[in-house]
Amino acid sequence: RREMESFIRVLIELCKPLRILEIGAGIGYSGLFMADCSCSSCRITTIENYPPRIAEAKRFISASGMGEKITLVEGDAADVLPGLEGPFDLIFLDSAKGQYITLLPMIERLLREGGVLLADNILQDGELVKSRYVTPRRQRTIHDRMREFVWELKHSQVFDTSLITIGDGVTLSIKRETSDDRSQT
């Protein structure tokens, strides 16, 4: 979506990240977009576990000439993240929505203090703000986990978070510095 592209472009310009982690490469579009927006010394690690998308992402990354800037890691994020070395300046979370809450502790470890976490598709096409009982049964677990993820971020001692209603909703979180003595409000 165009509004997300603009938002990510502005965010990258403000943050000036040197290391970006993308969780959920898809076919490589977001990674390539972030590579194009970021400085020449920025490096992007992107994770994908679905073989047809991996093949597409490899093809697009190769054709773009950005292969030196983008590293595609194949595998499930829950398996890959423990083996990665941080810190990352920006983490873009756009993987399986029901796994956001499970991945949060690993993301926290990998993100530098003052770093930014951008989590996409938070509102689940508006379904997340509806009553749990209006949500179709097959989607309740994913929505419950997404609600838990947003609640954890909003009540975290580690992150300052805003929910922004562009696109399908995003959370924008900054990892607090450990010397931050501010009290919760």
Side-chain angles (χ1 to χ4, degrees):
R1 297 180 182 177
R2 287 223 189 278
E3 65 266 22
M4 273 306 293
E5 285 181 356
S6 290
F7 185 77
I8 290 171
R9 183 180 303 279
V10 168
L11 184 62
I12 287 175
E13 183 61 33
L14 288 170
C15 296
K16 300 192 183 323
L18 294 178
R19 291 190 73 206
I20 297 174
L21 174 61
E22 177 185 36
I23 305 170
I27 61 169
Y29 182 84
S30 298
L32 287 167
F33 180 77
M34 290 187 290
D36 187 53
C37 294
S38 59
C39 69
S40 61
S41 59
C42 180
R43 295 296 174 258
I44 298 171
T45 301
T46 185
I47 303 167
E48 182 56 56
N49 72 338
Y50 186 58
R53 287 193 293 253
I54 291 169
E56 288 286 309
K58 283 180 177 179
R59 195 163 62 250
F60 286 130
I61 291 168
S62 176
S64 74
M66 299 262 192
E68 288 186 26
K69 196 170 184 177
I70 301 172
T71 301
L72 176 64
V73 179
E74 299 178 35
D76 187 271
D79 297 329
V80 171
L81 290 175
L84 290 181
E85 291 296 321
F88 289 92
D89 304 305
L90 172 66
I91 297 179
F92 180 50
L93 180 57
D94 192 19
S95 63
K97 309 313 172 209
Q99 296 302 311
Y100 281 22
I101 188 65
T102 305
L103 300 176
L104 188 57
M106 293 176 260
I107 289 169
E108 182 181 325
R109 178 186 69 82
L110 292 168
L111 188 63
R112 74 165 171 82
E113 291 182 359
V116 174
L117 168 60
L118 179 64
D120 201 12
N121 305 116
I122 297 298
L123 296 178
Q124 298 284 285
D125 292 322
E127 293 294 319
L128 203 66
V129 295
K130 293 180 181 177
S131 167
R132 180 180 197 285
Y133 301 103
V134 176
T135 303
R137 181 182 285 288
R138 69 184 179 283
Q139 296 175 337
R140 285 185 187 165
T141 300
I142 291 171
H143 292 174
D144 287 348
R145 288 180 180 169
M146 186 61 79
R147 283 184 185 98
E148 183 182 0
F149 173 76
V150 172
W151 191 93
E152 285 294 327
L153 282 176
K154 291 296 292 175
H155 295 87
S156 174
Q157 298 292 319
V158 176
F159 294 102
D160 285 319
T161 300
S162 288
L163 193 144
I164 303 167
T165 57
I166 61 170
D168 192 22
V170 297
T171 53
L172 181 64
S173 305
I174 301 203
K175 186 175 178 182
R176 294 180 180 164
E177 299 196 15
T178 54
S179 63
D180 189 351
D181 292 329
R182 293 175 298 158
S183 60
Q184 285 290 117
T185 56

